[in-house]
């Protein structure tokens, strides 16, 4: 990462509905939480947490998302306890100064809110953590690349419910997008990260 880069930490969907005993549980989210928490604590004012927010009912979703939520009807907001969309407790405590952006789909770029905030703040680089590597993280990264951001993906601070597709996603990012992103261990990133003034 360039030493003078204006960066933000974009932490993807570290929520109770993925961390706890639900059909969408990501078993090794707990394993990456210490790294995510360390970056978020040290740089809370630069951190934006995204939250994946399901519709109230399947019928409230658009197009093929209706089929998706018919399959996963227990994860609609009508059936799920409302606090399950919350961030996991160690991260929720950091808001504010950290910010939260809710999104109804995998990508945070569907509407202009996030891009508008980042452009207003002259952000050049996004540091990515969270889950799942092969779904929401991948969607976030590919959208950010299309928008021209430089990316740092914290390789030990992203997780998935499926090891093989996590590994495949990391391989694709490393091999196909190496000009536009770096894969770094959290500790190395924290050594390099410019100090927030």
């Amino acid at each position: 990462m360039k030493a003078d880069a204006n960066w933000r930490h974009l932490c993807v969907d570290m929520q109770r509905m993925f961390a706890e005993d639900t059909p969408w549980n990501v078993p090794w989210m707990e394993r990456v939480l210490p790294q995510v928490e360390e970056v978020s604590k040290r740089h809370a004012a630069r951190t934006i947490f995204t939250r994946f927010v399901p519709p109230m009912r399947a019928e409230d979703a658009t197009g093929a998302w209706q089929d998706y939520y018919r399959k996963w009807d227990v994860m609609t907001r009508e059936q799920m306890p409302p606090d399950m969309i919350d961030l996991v407790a160690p991260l929720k405590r950091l808001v504010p100064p950290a910010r939260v952006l809710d999104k109804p789909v995998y990508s945070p770029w569907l509407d202009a809110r996030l891009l508008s905030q980042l452009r207003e703040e002259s952000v050049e680089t996004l540091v990515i953590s969270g889950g799942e590597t092969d779904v929401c993280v991948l969607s976030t990264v590919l959208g950010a690349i299309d928008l021209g951001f430089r990316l740092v993906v914290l390789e030990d601070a992203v997780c998935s419910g499926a090891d093989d597709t996590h590994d495949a996603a990391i391989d694709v990012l490393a091999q196909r997008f190496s000009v536009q992103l770096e894969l770094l261990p959290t500790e190395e990133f924290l050594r390099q990260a410019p100090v927030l003034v």
Side-chain angles (χ1 to χ4, degrees):
M1 191 170 89
K2 288 183 5 181
D4 59 347
N6 185 13
W7 61 274
R8 295 292 178 273
H9 171 217
L10 192 55
C11 178
V12 180
D13 303 355
M14 293 288 286
Q15 295 165 255
R16 290 185 56 198
M17 65 183 176
F18 301 118
E20 297 182 21
D21 185 17
T22 74
W24 287 354
N25 175 257
V26 178
W28 48 288
M29 185 175 277
E30 186 176 348
R31 192 169 73 208
V32 303
L33 182 57
Q35 292 81 256
V36 173
E37 186 179 2
E38 190 63 26
V39 175
S40 302
K41 274 195 319 196
R42 288 203 207 178
H43 300 286
R46 290 189 187 221
T47 294
I48 301 168
F49 296 112
T50 67
R51 296 192 312 177
F52 183 77
V53 180
M56 189 60 69
R57 291 167 294 279
E59 297 72 33
D60 298 333
T62 305
W65 282 103
Q66 289 187 3
D67 296 333
Y68 182 82
Y69 284 109
R70 286 188 192 103
K71 176 180 178 178
W72 299 108
D73 65 326
V74 296
M75 299 304 291
T76 60
R77 292 197 335 266
E78 184 174 61
Q79 295 196 41
M80 187 172 52
D83 56 359
M84 291 300 280
I85 66 168
D86 285 349
L87 298 170
V88 294
L91 303 181
K92 186 177 179 181
R93 288 193 288 268
L94 302 174
V95 180
R99 295 175 273 177
V100 174
L101 176 86
D102 289 343
K103 60 191 178 74
V105 294
Y106 302 141
S107 172
W109 308 111
L110 188 64
D111 62 42
R113 291 174 299 148
L114 178 59
L115 180 60
S116 185
Q117 286 177 28
L118 297 173
R119 295 287 191 235
E120 279 177 28
E121 297 167 15
S122 301
V123 173
E124 302 168 357
T125 301
L126 296 175
V127 178
I128 307 294
S129 68
E132 291 187 68
T133 315
D134 44 350
V135 185
C136 294
V137 168
L138 184 61
S139 183
T140 299
V141 166
L142 293 179
I145 287 170
D146 281 344
L147 291 165
F149 291 100
R150 287 196 245 358
L151 277 291
V152 175
V153 176
L154 301 177
E155 60 191 3
D156 58 345
V158 291
C159 60
S160 174
D163 290 357
D164 54 348
T165 51
H166 164 86
D167 293 344
I170 291 293
D171 287 346
V172 166
L173 294 178
Q175 293 172 26
R176 299 301 302 269
F177 301 100
S178 60
V179 173
Q180 293 150 312
L181 69 77
E182 288 179 80
L183 287 165
L184 285 179
T186 301
E187 189 176 332
E188 186 176 338
F189 164 73
L190 288 170
R191 279 199 307 270
Q192 294 181 19
V195 177
L196 180 59
V197 293

